[in-house]
Amino acid sequence: MERLILGWIGVTVAIAFFKIADAPNPPRDVLHAAALSLPYLLVALAPIAGYRLAAGSFPRGTLTAQPAIRLCRYGTWRPLDELSARENPWFGPGGFMASLLLGLLLNVPVRSLEFFVAVPALGGDAPVWAQTILTMMTLDVIAMNFFYMVCFVLALRAVPLFPRMLLFAWLFDIMMQCAMARAIGAAPDLPGNVAAAMSTLLAGNLQKVLISVAVWLPYLIVSERVNVTFRRRARA
């Protein structure tokens, strides 16, 4: 992970320099260049912050208590104590769950790349609709990079809060797409071709989230590996 973080910082900084060099209005000075690069740097730092926060809050090997209130009651299960759960062959992020973890990790570069491609470096002299798109898309990618990386760490370290955190991330992602559509649609003088492109992008983002929910939510409910690892219970 440390090597991945260093590589991620190097790649995103290089992309930020390229975007600044290709900006519609080139930077006038160093301060202006720093302002233009700020959205890209924040997008790059968000997943690192999510990883550091989650990893620091739940150190490797920590025994974590179950939430007081059970939300998933489907199926017939027998409870396991912490040590019995960890000795169970189904315990841990292996098997099919590894695909879910890989998907969470890949969410970060995919969403970031979409942002880098779609949004040019803009200053305060840009039209209001362009600044609205930049602000909303920056907030969206920062938030989702942060939350998906937190989910990745919780899953990797078998923290019982993982299923709830992933459900929260999905719901927040859907809310962000709706909020972006509303804010960008209300921006003054929005060109028709830009509106069409943003509509396609936001609809694609929403579709990807809904597909993820449809594929993975049933798995999170019925999988014995998920129940042993995160709910400390085995099939009766």
Side-chain angles (χ1 to χ4, degrees):
M1 286 302 298
E2 296 302 325
R3 285 193 289 269
L4 281 177
I5 288 173
L6 288 175
W8 171 251
I9 292 174
V11 169
T12 50
V13 168
I15 291 175
F17 278 119
F18 175 78
K19 297 293 289 189
I20 293 171
D22 195 47
N25 295 320
R28 298 181 298 270
D29 49 38
V30 175
L31 188 60
H32 188 205
L36 292 178
S37 64
L38 184 60
Y40 305 104
L41 297 180
L42 291 176
V43 166
L45 291 175
I48 300 174
Y51 173 78
R52 297 291 188 204
L53 179 64
S57 300
F58 301 96
R60 188 175 284 106
T62 302
L63 302 181
T64 310
Q66 285 288 306
I69 300 176
R70 291 280 190 179
L71 297 182
C72 184
R73 299 180 178 275
Y74 178 83
T76 305
W77 309 91
R78 58 183 176 85
L80 299 172
D81 60 67
E82 186 71 31
L83 296 181
S84 297
R86 290 178 179 268
E87 293 172 354
N88 192 292
W90 288 104
F91 184 86
F96 197 50
M97 195 193 300
S99 300
L100 174 57
L101 267 69
L102 182 62
L104 291 173
L105 192 61
L106 288 178
N107 252 318
V108 172
V110 169
R111 295 289 283 265
S112 301
L113 184 60
E114 288 179 347
F115 173 80
F116 294 146
V117 170
V119 180
L122 299 173
D125 52 350
V128 174
W129 60 264
Q131 295 186 39
T132 303
I133 292 175
L134 174 64
T135 301
M136 295 304 297
M137 290 195 68
T138 302
L139 292 176
D140 171 63
V141 180
I142 288 173
M144 299 323 304
N145 278 358
F146 178 87
F147 286 129
Y148 281 128
M149 185 55 71
V150 169
C151 290
F152 172 78
V153 175
L154 296 186
L156 195 63
R157 300 197 173 177
V159 178
L161 291 175
F162 164 69
R164 302 184 187 205
M165 188 66 198
L166 183 56
L167 181 60
F168 168 79
W170 282 334
L171 293 175
F172 192 86
D173 203 348
I174 293 171
M175 290 172 55
M176 284 299 299
Q177 305 312 308
C178 296
M180 282 197 295
R182 181 166 184 169
I184 294 171
D189 303 320
L190 181 67
N193 59 336
V194 175
M198 291 304 303
S199 176
T200 301
L201 177 64
L202 297 179
N205 288 344
L206 188 59
Q207 185 179 36
K208 283 184 286 188
V209 178
L210 294 177
I211 290 174
S212 296
V213 174
V215 170
W216 291 110
L217 185 58
Y219 173 77
L220 291 175
I221 294 173
V222 303
S223 166
E224 183 152 11
R225 181 176 294 278
V226 172
N227 278 279
V228 170
T229 303
F230 301 109
R231 301 189 182 103
R232 308 301 193 259
R233 62 190 188 184
R235 203 173 300 280

